[in-house]
Amino acid sequence: MVKHWFRNVCIATALLQAVYHAVRVLVSYRVLALSGDAVTIGIVTALFSLAPLLVTVRIGRAVDRRHAAAVLRTGVLLTALGVLVIAASGDLIVLALGNVVLGFGQILVTVAGQGFITLLSPPGELDRGFAGLTLGVSVGQAIGVPLVGLIVTGSSDGGAVETTLALTVMGAVSLATIPFAWPIRERPQAAEPPSPGDRQSVFSMISTTGMRPAVFSSLIVLASVDVVVAYLPVLGHEFGFSVLLVSLLLTARTAASIVSRAFLPWLLTRVSRQKLLISATLCSALPTALLPFVPDPVGMALLLVVAGFFWGIGQPLTMTWVAGLVTAANRAAALSLRLTGNRLGQVLIPLAAGAAAGVAGTSSIFVITGGLLGTAAISTWRAVSTC
């Protein structure tokens, strides 16, 4: 199974990301069906990230100690459980609890997948490994969202959107990853787990030159994707778009990320890493801010394609950036620190977005997100220009 580890990790990642991305869209509609509003969506979306926030680095330490397989398996089971709880939810409290469980499953799966890349990739192949892993993420997102869009369209009665069937299907998809996730092992001949003396503290890692801008860039990109996933259904509802049309718009963003990640190794031979890192936030800022001012589906699709292309570049490159700032014995922990930053952004930015929507309307969410992307671009430019 060793030689097939990368294939299995990418397939499992694609299937599970289909679940995460689709369910998060469905959660927005289910909140609305349970009499929630934009503020409630912000709170429920933040809960997905809040509970696992303090344990992410600990999970990374476990992966550095060669427990990635156990972490991945636990994540698969929690994912299935979280989706089924959401599917059975009849009130907002149960829905929120299911989203918390789903968030734990997602962080375990994510840390384990990234850990396998750092543990098993040949020297000098991290860029290619992370590009392949995030390509699996985008492929899964491209499959999951339109699939549930078709299911929900068939089951909606024109009033509140009925999501139970689509959520049940996603629960089944999460269980379908078991044949791919269970056989993956750390190499028997891998080096012994690092001793406690080899580990860097969280303070030491975050103080490393370049770490904070890398984490900030990553969290802003991921939080921006989350905001679009959570609030494009709300914006689409205001514009009179169907669930299927909103799903197709989100898929356009995902398809653009697939293209950029598939061609990332080629792009790195022609464009400097520094310019690509800056472009991930700089070139997606304006398209994101303009979304609420372009109520035409074709125009919105074009804006999402531009943003999605550059977001697709940002995630794998910040992974390599972070992993390269620490020793090999601390790579999974450093990537977990990056994920902690991501989760912090996923907690604070949706909450702020929900508050902004309550005061200034849904449009303000996208304008603020565009401004944050521009700020991240400046931060990244300052960091990489000194390297």
Side-chain angles (χ1 to χ4, degrees), residues 122-180:
E125 292 291 317
L126 286 182
D127 274 329
R128 188 175 298 275
F130 286 133
L133 183 71
T134 53
L135 178 60
V137 172
S138 293
V139 169
Q141 292 172 352
I143 295 170
V145 173
L147 174 60
V148 297
L150 289 170
I151 296 171
V152 168
T153 297
S155 61
S156 176
D157 61 1
V161 176
E162 173 53 53
T163 56
T164 301
L165 175 60
L167 286 164
T168 303
V169 170
M170 288 297 103
V173 172
S174 64
L175 292 174
T177 63
I178 289 176
F180 302 101

Side-chain angles (χ1 to χ4, degrees), residues 14 17-18 21 136-146 225 251 253-254 261:
Q17 288 297 329
H21 209 62
V137 172
S138 293
V139 169
Q141 292 172 352
I143 295 170
V145 173
V225 174
T251 303
R253 193 281 304 171
T254 305
R261 286 168 177 173

Side-chain angles (χ1 to χ4, degrees), residues 5-384:
W5 72 268
F6 185 66
R7 180 198 65 189
N8 282 6
V9 167
C10 289
I11 292 174
T13 296
L15 290 171
L16 290 166
Q17 288 297 329
V19 173
Y20 299 134
H21 209 62
V23 170
R24 299 194 76 182
V25 175
L26 293 172
V27 163
S28 293
Y29 285 112
R30 199 167 185 93
V31 168
L32 294 174
L34 293 173
S35 302
D37 55 15
V39 176
T40 310
I41 290 173
I43 294 171
V44 173
T45 300
L47 286 173
F48 177 86
S49 304
L50 180 61
L53 185 62
L54 299 178
V55 299
T56 306
V57 174
R58 289 181 180 272
I59 297 169
R61 298 287 191 203
V63 171
D64 278 327
R65 293 194 299 270
R66 311 295 191 266
H67 298 307
V71 171
L72 178 60
R73 294 170 191 167
T74 305
V76 171
L77 296 178
L78 285 179
T79 297
L81 177 62
V83 175
L84 295 176
V85 170
I86 293 170
S89 64
D91 59 63
L92 291 171
I93 293 176
V94 176
L95 172 59
L97 289 174
N99 218 31
V100 169
V101 174
L102 186 66
F104 270 108
Q106 193 266 353
I107 202 67
L108 289 168
V109 166
T110 302
V111 173
Q114 294 178 12
F116 277 119
I117 299 298
T118 62
L119 290 171
L120 303 181
S121 291
E125 292 291 317
L126 286 182
D127 274 329
R128 188 175 298 275
F130 286 133
L133 183 71
T134 53
L135 178 60
V137 172
S138 293
V139 169
Q141 292 172 352
I143 295 170
V145 173
L147 174 60
V148 297
L150 289 170
I151 296 171
V152 168
T153 297
S155 61
S156 176
D157 61 1
V161 176
E162 173 53 53
T163 56
T164 301
L165 175 60
L167 286 164
T168 303
V169 170
M170 288 297 103
V173 172
S174 64
L175 292 174
T177 63
I178 289 176
F180 302 101
W182 251 245
I184 307 172
R185 300 284 192 280
E186 297 86 355
R187 281 180 184 160
Q189 68 269 29
E192 289 298 313
S195 65
D198 296 328
R199 298 177 198 157
Q200 291 179 256
S201 67
V202 172
F203 179 78
S204 173
M205 288 189 291
I206 199 65
S207 299
T208 302
T209 302
M211 184 66 76
R212 279 172 285 189
V215 170
F216 182 63
S217 176
S218 177
L219 79 86
I220 291 299
V221 169
L222 190 61
S224 298
V225 174
D226 274 2
V227 165
V228 169
V229 170
Y231 284 99
L232 196 67
V234 180
L235 189 64
H237 183 73
E238 292 178 0
F239 290 160
F241 294 169
S242 68
V243 176
L244 180 58
L245 178 54
V246 171
S247 299
L248 291 174
L249 288 171
L250 290 170
T251 303
R253 193 281 304 171
T254 305
S257 293
I258 290 175
V259 172
S260 63
R261 286 168 177 173
F263 285 95
L264 182 57
W266 179 83
L267 285 171
L268 284 166
T269 66
R270 288 159 176 81
V271 184
S272 71
R273 179 184 303 274
Q274 290 85 348
K275 289 181 180 178
L276 288 174
L277 279 167
I278 296 168
S279 72
T281 45
L282 179 63
C283 297
S284 58
L286 185 59
T288 302
L290 288 176
L291 280 171
F293 305 105
V294 184
D296 173 60
V298 175
M300 289 183 74
L302 291 174
L303 293 173
L304 287 165
V305 164
V306 173
F309 182 89
F310 289 101
W311 286 339
I313 290 172
Q315 289 300 297
L317 287 185
T318 55
M319 290 179 192
T320 305
W321 187 6
V322 166
L325 295 174
V326 298
T327 63
N330 293 278
R331 283 177 174 172
L335 288 167
S336 297
L337 180 63
R338 170 187 168 274
L339 285 171
T340 300
N342 288 351
R343 285 303 179 100
L344 185 62
Q346 287 177 299
V347 170
L348 297 178
I349 292 177
L351 286 175
V359 174
T362 307
S363 298
S364 63
I365 297 171
F366 297 91
V367 175
I368 292 170
T369 303
L372 290 172
L373 286 163
T375 302
I378 296 171
S379 173
T380 302
W381 172 74
R382 287 176 175 172
V384 300

